[in-house]
Amino acid sequence: MAQETLQEQTIVLEEEIVERRQIEETVRLSEEKFSKSFDNAPIIMTISTVEDGRFLDVNKKFVELSGFSRQEAVGRTSLELGWITPDQRQVLVAELGEKGRTSGVELRLRSNAENYITCRYYGELITVDGRQCLLSLAHDMTEQRAMEEQLRQAQKMEAIGQLAGGVAHDFNNVLTVIMGYCNLLQMDPKLDTHQRDEVEQIIASSEKAAQLTRGLLTFSRKEVMDFRSADLNGIVQHVQKFLARVIGEDIQLRTVCNRPEIAVRVDSAQIEQVLINLATNARDAMQMGGLLNIETNTLDVDDSFIHTHGYGTPGRYACIAVSDSGCGMDEQTRKRIFEPFFTTKEQGKGTGLGMAIVYGIVKQHNGFITVYSEPGHGTTFRIYLPLSDEGQGAREETGEPVAPDGGTETILVAEDEAGVRRLLEDILTRYGYQVILAEDGQEAVEKFMANRGKIHLVLTDIIMPRKSGQEAVAEIRRLQPGIKVCYASGYTADFIRNRGVDDEGIELIMKPVQSQELLWKVREILDS
């Protein structure tokens, strides 16, 4: 009997041992699994003491993002490492004491390299070997926050663009009147030299005012390109004085033109903007002063160039080389230099748009740009622009304003701004044209019907009360399908397209309109 009892006890003991071993194996496997999951997790995970916050273990993601090795971190607190600030820890401890956990707190954490990452933090109390510990998880939000900031910047720039479109309309109407009457005075043979100089000063100031709007439109990518034949050397020389003011007195500016004339077809104001942005970038790279060199030449782009750079079309190009003696860039920065919103400046010191604008303008001119730079050895930008087969042409301004021959045709002018309407009438009648005026689109249709068969051209603003310019033109063309039309507007082409006007194939003259430009356009349309 005693022997049977002993056997039964032995069997029970063996079963308990087996069960205990199974439990131990399960725990071991669970711990191994947890350890692997912990170490290989795609988010930061740490285990620390509750009392003083000393790290008991950290995972690979923590090591990767923080820059601290496991040996450096274990046994030290996040405060000792500088991983979080005392204020941040106080917030976490308060929430942990109140709720027993922390959830979704956004922290800005400092790495060993003194870079900052933005994380969404979660904390939970757990028991390890009978000891209460804190399991912390942190999801890296740095890239997401950067993208959100870029989106906010883009939305901000879009808002500026919309504002600029509205401002351009009213602002350019005012400038049209000022510049238009100055142009008429310029062409008056009775003006003496002193009076002519005074008028030219007014025009120069008006053009500077117009550039304010152009600047807003450039930043918002809604600028209307005005391509004309020009000498690249002339553009550089024209902007040279302004560049000297941009870079300051401690930087020497040197320009070299290796060809007597380099004919290109460009928007001169936009190429000047490129040079201003590059000069500003160079100034920031030469904090202790230096040399800014701008050189123009013509260069051949061949197959070896295309193979080296991965872009370009073979041929001969106009080239502007802008070199500085500044701090230079490393390869990583050089590769990102044209990215929108990328900046090496500290927060609030730069928009990250300057070089992106340079790239955009060059691309819109069917050109391309290269960058060579080494840390400590300065930077050279080379801008390649297609050469133009066209000469400067009689319409390029070479001192005295040149106007075409007038005419005797009848022009219907529809313009809701009284000052602009009167200016257009004065310019056209002075050169022999017969002018019929309308204050809006509805009156334009009525005046056209009353003078049907007499009108050779309709010159109309696009945005007007009662009936828009395009609505008026649609009705007029039902009455006379072949009538010639020229739109005049202070709005950008982008703004016009958004209002249902297809600017492909239509004649459009942008405000502020100068007298000679208007007369050339009118004559060109009538003679076409």
Side-chain angles (χ1 to χ4, degrees):
M1 188 71 176
Q3 188 176 356
E4 289 179 0
T5 302
L6 181 62
Q7 287 178 342
E8 288 175 357
Q9 290 175 345
T10 302
I11 292 171
V12 170
L13 182 61
E14 287 175 351
E15 288 176 348
E16 288 177 354
I17 291 171
V18 169
E19 185 177 355
R20 188 178 298 114
R21 284 177 178 172
Q22 287 176 339
I23 291 171
E24 287 174 353
E25 180 65 15
T26 300
V27 170
R28 186 185 66 79
L29 290 173
S30 177
E31 287 176 347
E32 283 184 6
K33 187 175 180 181
F34 173 79
S35 179
K36 287 181 180 179
S37 299
F38 174 86
D39 205 35
N40 297 319
I43 61 174
I44 294 171
M45 293 184 71
T46 66
I47 299 174
S48 56
T49 61
V50 176
E51 311 86 58
D52 55 9
R54 294 193 178 277
F55 288 122
L56 299 174
D57 201 0
V58 297
N59 72 345
K60 290 178 181 177
K61 199 66 176 179
F62 172 90
V63 172
E64 175 191 332
L65 294 179
S66 73
F68 297 104
S69 67
R70 183 177 265 107
Q71 291 76 15
E72 288 175 308
V74 172
R76 300 174 70 187
T77 70
S78 54
L79 287 176
E80 290 171 349
L81 294 174
W83 181 234
I84 65 172
T85 65
D87 290 342
Q88 288 174 327
R89 174 166 171 74
Q90 190 173 353
V91 170
L92 297 179
V93 169
E95 187 169 340
L96 192 64
E98 182 182 340
K99 302 178 182 177
R101 58 176 4 187
T102 59
S103 58
V105 178
E106 190 164 302
L107 300 176
R108 189 165 180 259
L109 306 172
R110 187 176 70 86
S111 73
N112 192 25
E114 296 191 353
N115 297 321
Y116 286 90
I117 62 174
T118 302
C119 287
R120 180 77 72 183
Y121 174 86
Y122 301 86
E124 185 82 31
L125 293 174
I126 61 171
T127 302
V128 179
D129 295 331
R131 182 183 183 184
Q132 195 174 48
C133 299
L134 176 65
L135 174 65
S136 299
L137 297 85
H139 175 53
D140 182 15
M141 307 280 289
T142 309
E143 186 174 347
Q144 180 180 330
R145 288 291 177 264
M147 291 176 66
E148 289 172 356
E149 180 60 27
Q150 289 184 13
L151 176 60
R152 281 192 291 272
Q153 286 277 21
Q155 290 172 335
K156 188 187 300 182
M157 297 315 298
E158 180 63 25
I160 290 174
Q162 292 174 359
L163 173 63
V167 168
H169 180 259
D170 295 336
F171 192 43
N172 286 332
N173 273 339
V174 175
L175 291 174
T176 293
V177 176
I178 296 170
M179 296 170 72
Y181 279 110
C182 285
N183 290 152
L184 289 178
L185 284 171
Q186 269 187 319
M187 291 182 282
D188 188 343
K190 297 176 184 177
L191 282 184
D192 60 34
T193 303
H194 180 69
Q195 290 171 325
R196 195 175 299 279
D197 288 343
E198 289 176 338
V199 171
E200 287 175 359
Q201 287 297 319
I202 298 172
I203 291 175
S205 295
S206 298
E207 287 173 348
K208 287 180 181 178
Q211 286 177 4
L212 295 175
T213 303
R214 291 173 69 90
L216 282 174
L217 296 173
T218 297
F219 278 110
S220 62
R221 300 297 202 280
K222 297 177 186 294
E223 176 61 278
V224 178
M225 289 290 178
D226 184 15
F227 293 98
R228 299 188 184 191
S229 295
D231 176 18
L232 190 60
N233 296 334
I235 294 173
V236 171
Q237 290 160 4
H238 182 263
V239 78
Q240 187 173 349
K241 289 181 181 179
F242 184 75
L243 292 181
R245 293 197 295 271
V246 168
I247 60 178
E249 296 178 356
D250 58 340
I251 297 175
Q252 180 187 353
L253 174 63
R254 184 173 66 192
T255 59
V256 179
C257 299
N258 291 297
R259 300 273 177 180
E261 182 179 7
I262 302 176
V264 289
R265 186 168 179 79
V266 296
D267 184 323
S268 297
Q270 293 296 302
I271 299 302
E272 288 180 8
Q273 183 71 55
V274 166
L275 293 173
I276 290 168
N277 286 14
L278 290 176
T280 303
N281 196 65
R283 177 200 64 198
D284 295 339
M286 295 186 284
Q287 296 292 329
M288 305 303 292
L291 172 66
L292 176 63
N293 190 76
I294 301 177
E295 187 172 344
T296 62
N297 208 340
T298 57
L299 295 175
D300 288 317
V301 170
D302 54 18
D303 291 335
S304 63
F305 177 97
I306 296 168
H307 178 74
T308 302
H309 295 88
Y311 53 79
T313 304
R316 194 160 185 80
Y317 287 80
C319 179
I320 313 173
V322 181
S323 305
D324 66 66
S325 59
C327 59
M329 296 178 280
D330 58 28
E331 184 65 10
Q332 185 177 3
T333 302
R334 188 190 67 79
K335 287 180 177 179
R336 298 189 62 192
I337 191 68
F338 297 118
E339 288 182 17
F341 309 112
F342 174 74
T343 178
T344 56
K345 301 182 181 72
E346 61 184 89
Q347 186 76 20
K349 294 292 185 181
T351 63
L353 287 170
M355 300 310 295
I357 288 171
V358 166
Y359 181 82
I361 291 172
V362 172
K363 291 293 286 183
Q364 288 182 72
H365 282 81
N366 296 318
F368 42 93
I369 184 169
T370 63
V371 190
Y372 179 79
S373 185
E374 290 184 16
H377 294 281
T379 302
T380 296
F381 292 89
R382 283 189 174 86
I383 299 159
Y384 295 82
L385 299 170
L387 287 166
S388 173
D389 295 330
E390 302 175 24
Q392 292 295 104
R395 290 181 60 176
E396 287 298 307
E397 295 180 21
T398 56
E400 292 298 317
V402 179
D405 295 332
T408 58
E409 293 92 341
T410 300
I411 301 173
L412 173 60
V413 174
E415 168 62 58
D416 60 310
E417 184 69 30
V420 177
R421 190 167 61 246
R422 181 180 172 186
L423 170 67
L424 296 174
E425 181 184 23
D426 287 348
I427 295 171
L428 294 170
T429 54
R430 183 172 296 196
Y431 281 81
Y433 296 104
Q434 305 297 312
V435 177
I436 299 172
L437 298 177
E439 294 184 5
D440 54 47
Q442 180 59 44
E443 188 176 3
V445 175
E446 294 167 358
K447 291 286 182 73
F448 186 87
M449 292 176 66
N451 295 275
R452 194 169 177 179
K454 299 178 184 178
I455 295 172
H456 300 86
L457 172 68
V458 176
L459 175 61
T460 178
D461 193 6
I462 291 180
I463 311 299
M464 293 186 293
R466 291 214 294 168
K467 191 167 286 182
S468 69
Q470 65 267 34
E471 290 171 338
V473 167
E475 288 193 32
I476 288 171
R477 281 188 166 154
R478 281 197 289 270
L479 298 169
Q480 187 176 329
I483 188 67
K484 294 177 178 179
V485 175
C486 179
Y487 290 106
S489 180
Y491 285 111
T492 64
D494 178 85
F495 187 93
I496 292 167
R497 277 195 297 270
N498 288 338
R499 272 145 183 78
V501 180
D502 181 8
D503 62 336
E504 295 293 333
I506 69 168
E507 298 289 350
L508 176 66
I509 189 165
M510 298 299 298
K511 298 176 182 176
V513 179
Q514 296 197 24
S515 303
Q516 310 96 289
E517 187 179 359
L518 172 67
L519 292 167
W520 275 108
K521 175 64 76 173
V522 166
R523 194 67 260 161
E524 180 184 308
I525 296 171
L526 289 171
D527 292 341
S528 63

